[in-house]
Amino acid sequence: MVSLSRKLLPSTSALAAFDSVARLGSFSGAAEELSLTQGAISRQVSGLEEQLGVQLFHRTSRGVSLTSAGADYAKAVANALSQIRSASLQVMTKRHSDQLNLAILPTFGTRWLMPRIPQFVARHPEITLNFATRIGVFDFDRDGIDMAIHIGQPDWPGAECTFLMEEMVAPVSSPAFLASHPIKKAEDLMRLPLLHMASRPGAWNHWFESLGITGTPSQGMRFEQFGNVAQACITGLGVALMPLFLIDSELATGQLVEAFPHQVRGTSAYYAVAPLSKTDFHPVVAFRAWLIEEIGRYREEVVGW
């Protein structure tokens, strides 16, 4: 068992030498890159081949090339060394600061969260924020994430979900589109081009049902990002059902207007989610408290919330 364990754990110096030769295609190039002699590189690679019991390179008078097994091993080793370098860099740069690896939703992060982040940084200069974009449920440990902003239901396995806010949605369009397509009653929307979000397939049905209207809404263009939907509305391609807090600026500038005065609560809500192992982690506790406070302040400014 000990012998097998040793075979499966080559030294990092041997792996680094192999990785360098595999990338550069020569022992001399690897020697120059690693500041070693060509003989030292050759011994490291030969020792690795002997330890694994596998030939990793074809050696000819014209140079070296990877064997089939060597090519597969080179990919795996390159990934492993990259992860080790990243982990080492993170430890080296962390120093005395706390770090929060935060997963955010693209539109929520860009339009609502980022403009407010300077306030958190000013309050907690000891915490370094690192952002990643994630949509849907993922593995916190695998992705190295401490906390996530999630939209959906509070049913994330192995995690604590803290309610942040619901969405108020309403149909919006450009002023020009509304002028050329007058909407006197909600049923009028049924005959207009409706824009759809791929992540909210039942949103329009939910909106019409809240008014007691039955039927099938028109199948218009479908988008994956709210920013693209907003732009499509601005250019006059149709009417979209949008979370109002995500288009504050477009509504304020008049680029978009409510096409019909009826708002409903969306079927999903926003949550701050942290794995159970991180619920008491200082950066998570601090950011969650600040986020709840900031959302409370924002809701006080929005009529009807």
Side-chain angles (χ1 to χ4, degrees):
M1 180 63 70
V2 173
S3 178
L4 178 60
S5 297
R6 288 177 178 172
K7 282 180 176 292
L8 296 177
L9 290 173
S11 69
T12 54
S13 57
L15 293 175
F18 165 70
D19 173 68
S20 185
V21 176
R23 286 186 291 100
L24 301 176
S26 75
F27 285 96
S28 59
E32 182 176 353
E33 181 179 67
L34 299 177
S35 299
L36 297 171
T37 66
Q38 186 171 336
I41 296 292
S42 180
R43 286 192 295 274
Q44 290 278 14
V45 172
S46 295
L48 180 61
E49 290 177 316
E50 182 178 350
Q51 182 176 351
L52 298 174
V54 176
Q55 183 179 355
L56 301 173
F57 291 102
H58 295 297
R59 295 165 174 81
T60 67
S61 58
R62 292 176 295 181
V64 296
S65 61
L66 287 163
T67 63
S68 177
D72 291 338
Y73 194 53
K75 293 179 182 178
V77 168
N79 288 335
L81 290 177
S82 176
Q83 290 181 3
I84 292 172
R85 293 187 189 100
S86 296
S88 299
L89 179 61
Q90 184 174 358
V91 169
M92 292 168 63
T93 56
K94 185 173 182 180
R95 296 178 183 174
H96 302 297
S97 303
D98 286 327
Q99 293 197 49
L100 177 66
N101 296 323
L102 179 67
I104 59 176
L105 300 162
T107 307
F108 179 88
T110 301
R111 288 174 170 259
W112 193 90
L113 183 62
M114 284 303 171
R116 293 169 169 81
I117 286 297
Q119 299 169 35
F120 176 81
V121 173
R123 182 180 297 185
H124 294 283
E126 79 282 4
I127 297 177
T128 300
L129 294 173
N130 302 314
F131 295 97
T133 300
R134 295 290 187 279
I135 299 175
V137 177
F138 58 88
D139 188 313
F140 281 99
D141 290 336
R142 183 193 62 205
D143 290 8
I145 300 296
D146 303 312
M147 187 179 186
I149 306 300
H150 171 64
I151 184 167
Q153 303 300 323
D155 54 3
W156 198 306
E160 180 181 77
C161 300
T162 302
F163 173 79
L164 297 176
M165 65 177 170
E166 296 171 315
E167 289 182 331
M168 296 301 295
V169 300
V172 299
S173 70
S174 70
F177 181 91
L178 190 59
S180 60
H181 301 80
I183 300 171
K184 297 182 179 180
K185 57 185 185 299
E187 287 84 353
D188 293 341
L189 284 163
M190 284 282 194
R191 58 179 173 77
L192 297 179
L194 302 181
L195 308 181
H196 300 260
M197 274 294 300
S199 61
R200 317 287 174 84
W204 273 112
N205 286 325
H206 176 67
W207 188 85
F208 282 114
E209 288 170 2
S210 72
L211 291 168
I213 299 173
T214 59
T216 303
S218 66
Q219 293 301 309
M221 297 181 181
R222 191 172 300 273
F223 300 85
E224 292 188 352
Q225 297 290 338
F226 277 113
N228 293 334
V229 180
Q231 191 59 44
C233 280
I234 290 171
T235 56
L237 292 177
V239 182
L241 198 60
M242 296 286 287
L244 297 178
F245 84 102
L246 292 179
I247 54 171
D248 278 341
S249 60
E250 288 86 352
L251 292 172
T253 59
Q255 291 177 293
L256 292 176
V257 295
E258 287 194 45
F260 189 79
H262 179 65
Q263 301 177 12
V264 300
R265 296 187 186 277
T267 56
S268 299
Y270 287 87
Y271 295 88
V273 184
L276 296 178
S277 61
K278 293 292 182 71
T279 54
D280 295 327
F281 182 42
H282 168 61
V284 167
V285 173
F287 191 83
R288 182 171 52 214
W290 171 82
L291 193 56
I292 292 171
E293 178 184 326
E294 196 63 29
I295 287 175
R297 182 180 297 109
Y298 174 76
R299 291 180 64 176
E300 290 177 358
E301 300 170 356
V302 180
V303 177
W305 280 52

